[in-house]
Amino acid sequence: IHPRMEKVLELRSLGNTGLKLSCVGFGASPLGSVFGPVSDEEATATVREALRLGINFFDTSPYYGGTLSEKALGKALKAVGVPRDEFIVSTKCGRYKEGFDFSAARITKSIDESLERLQLNYVDILQCHDIEFGSLDQIINETIPALKKLKEAGKIRFIGITGLPLGIFNYVLDRVPLGTIDVILSYCHYGINDTTLEDLLPYLKSKGVGVISASPLSMGLLTENGPPEWHPASPELKVACKNAAEFCKKKGKDISKLAMQYSLRNKEISTILVGMKSVEQVKVNVEAAMELANGEKDEELLVEVEKILKPVKNQTWPSGIQQS
Ligand code: NAD
């Protein structure tokens, strides 16, 4: 990577928050060893490289690796020693190794635990984690009001909600006062194999809500190594993605780079959160963004890969409990 690349990653505004996020965001779930073991040294080196190359946004959760991700990220940020106002941290609440709990009492305790693990005084964003597993009405009537209190107390700056089914976002945003929810995090819905988030963008814009899109590699489907054991996709979707990855490899190309560039194209999305666990992955993903910014994109390869994935386009998987 050329030294010129330092700190030149594009920044994008996140809704009405005033935050400017690097277009490539750092997904810290791999630091919880959910995609294979990662040592504290590797975690720190990865975070250091991310900051050096201009990534300023880090996303974690108490759920990732059963609190391991938060601890590793906290240690890494401290070791790198960047001033607090130069990075943006988002963590979550309501989902834990032990299960889901979106009660006001649990959320209020949860943030203190997270801050301790992260070794921070506040987080920039606190998001209700995978709300389709809870009662959406409890989220609206109990969890969000509790988060507002945390905001007033200065422990969090902004409030978010996350989950897989896109309908949860309309449900909640239609039922809370405008400006209550600052951001949403959607995952696996804005990548080469699934673009369904696109239809929701005008609605989110009308609500002034910032958009974070996670898992551009579909949690490993769009990688040469393939997804982890626990990946919830159907065998059909897994096979199609494997075929697409092999096709790229035969052409001497990397499907992950193509996938990153695809997701990064839409500037209505503030950041593309990609899970990273090595210095090399950080370099590759930032380089993908830089190439795109320089107008380099592989349209021919994209057309071929889209052809391979056409039979499974927008295929997803069930998540959460049935909402009435
Ligand atoms: P992802 O699509 O980003 O894929 C991550 C996997 O790809 C990991 O195994 C990683 O090591 C690997 N990888 C990364 N860069 C690569 C490259 N250039 N080449 C090959 N492999 C590469 O999926 P993800 O990690 O699940 O999602 C990203 C982040 O978004 C998470 O870490 C998390 O912070 C967030 N997220 C949040 C939710 C939620 O709130 N419900 C859900 C999913 C993801």
Side-chain angles (χ1 to χ4, degrees):
I1 287 186
H2 195 276
R4 252 191 320 121
M5 279 183 58
E6 287 192 34
K7 304 273 178 196
V8 283
L9 203 53
E10 180 191 345
L11 297 176
R12 297 180 184 170
S13 297
L14 181 67
N16 292 336
T17 63
L19 296 177
K20 284 190 182 299
L21 270 48
S22 52
C23 59
V24 177
F26 190 106
S29 72
L31 301 190
S33 296
V34 299
F35 291 94
V38 181
S39 69
D40 278 354
E41 291 71 33
E42 279 175 298
T44 299
T46 308
V47 167
R48 177 175 281 122
E49 184 66 356
L51 286 159
R52 187 179 79 83
L53 295 180
I55 292 178
N56 69 356
F57 178 52
F58 297 83
D59 176 75
T60 183
S61 163
Y63 175 65
Y64 300 150
T67 72
L68 265 183
S69 167
E70 282 190 336
K71 283 183 198 147
L73 180 62
K75 259 193 204 167
L77 287 168
K78 192 164 184 195
V80 180
V82 193
R84 180 63 187 92
D85 60 356
E86 287 181 22
F87 61 87
I88 296 161
V89 170
S90 142
T91 192
K92 312 197 183 79
C93 59
R95 182 168 201 178
Y96 309 96
K97 194 172 70 181
E98 308 77 42
F100 290 89
D101 187 349
F102 291 103
S103 68
R106 183 68 190 99
I107 261 67
T108 306
K109 195 162 152 256
S110 184
I111 183 63
D112 290 338
E113 295 166 355
S114 289
L115 290 175
E116 198 179 321
R117 286 189 289 261
L118 286 163
Q119 308 185 49
L120 298 174
N121 300 325
Y122 69 92
V123 291
D124 299 276
I125 309 170
L126 185 63
Q127 317 192 72
C128 304
H129 196 172
D130 292 341
I131 59 172
E132 70 271 26
F133 287 91
S135 148
L136 295 184
D137 292 322
Q138 183 190 25
I139 299 290
I140 294 160
N141 299 319
E142 184 178 339
T143 322
I144 300 292
L147 289 176
K148 277 167 85 174
K149 284 195 190 139
L150 297 179
K151 208 178 191 180
E152 284 156 22
K155 293 183 183 184
I156 71 175
R157 293 179 68 199
F158 300 104
I159 296 172
I161 50 177
T162 86
L164 184 72
L166 292 166
I168 58 174
F169 298 120
N170 306 69
Y171 188 94
V172 174
L173 288 166
D174 278 343
R175 288 167 179 79
V176 297
L178 211 62
T180 310
I181 289 175
D182 304 292
V183 307
I184 65 110
L185 183 159
S186 159
Y187 70 101
C188 290
H189 287 313
Y190 198 79
I192 307 178
N193 60 304
D194 184 333
T195 53
T196 47
L197 175 63
E198 198 152 41
D199 294 340
L200 196 66
L201 294 176
Y203 169 84
L204 295 170
K205 198 170 188 178
S206 77
K207 295 275 183 187
V209 170
V211 185
I212 298 170
S213 179
S215 311
L217 312 180
S218 280
M219 306 192 300
L221 285 178
L222 303 176
T223 63
E224 274 179 17
N225 291 337
E229 196 55 44
W230 50 259
H231 201 290
S234 71
E236 188 197 7
L237 179 52
K238 285 181 182 165
V239 168
C241 291
K242 190 164 183 265
N243 290 341
E246 277 168 7
F247 176 85
C248 293
K249 199 172 178 186
K250 264 192 224 133
K251 299 242 160 191
K253 307 276 174 83
D254 175 11
I255 192 158
S256 299
K257 182 172 160 187
L258 186 77
M260 272 309 287
Q261 292 185 335
Y262 184 88
S263 297
L264 282 163
R265 285 186 194 193
N266 194 326
K267 299 201 178 195
E268 302 273 304
I269 297 169
S270 301
T271 190
I272 299 298
L273 254 185
V274 58
M276 295 185 278
K277 61 174 183 182
S278 68
V279 169
E280 183 57 25
Q281 283 181 352
V282 172
K283 283 194 202 302
V284 170
N285 292 330
V286 170
E287 204 163 44
M290 298 307 298
E291 279 184 23
L292 184 70
N294 291 336
E296 296 167 41
K297 37 188 171 172
D298 203 333
E299 291 294 351
E300 254 173 63
L301 186 69
L302 179 61
V303 168
E304 292 300 324
V305 166
E306 283 185 315
K307 239 188 250 167
I308 295 168
L309 295 177
K310 200 167 177 219
V312 291
K313 182 78 196 280
N314 295 338
Q315 190 190 104
T316 185
W317 46 86
S319 178
I321 53 173
Q322 205 66 39
Q323 301 284 338
S324 56

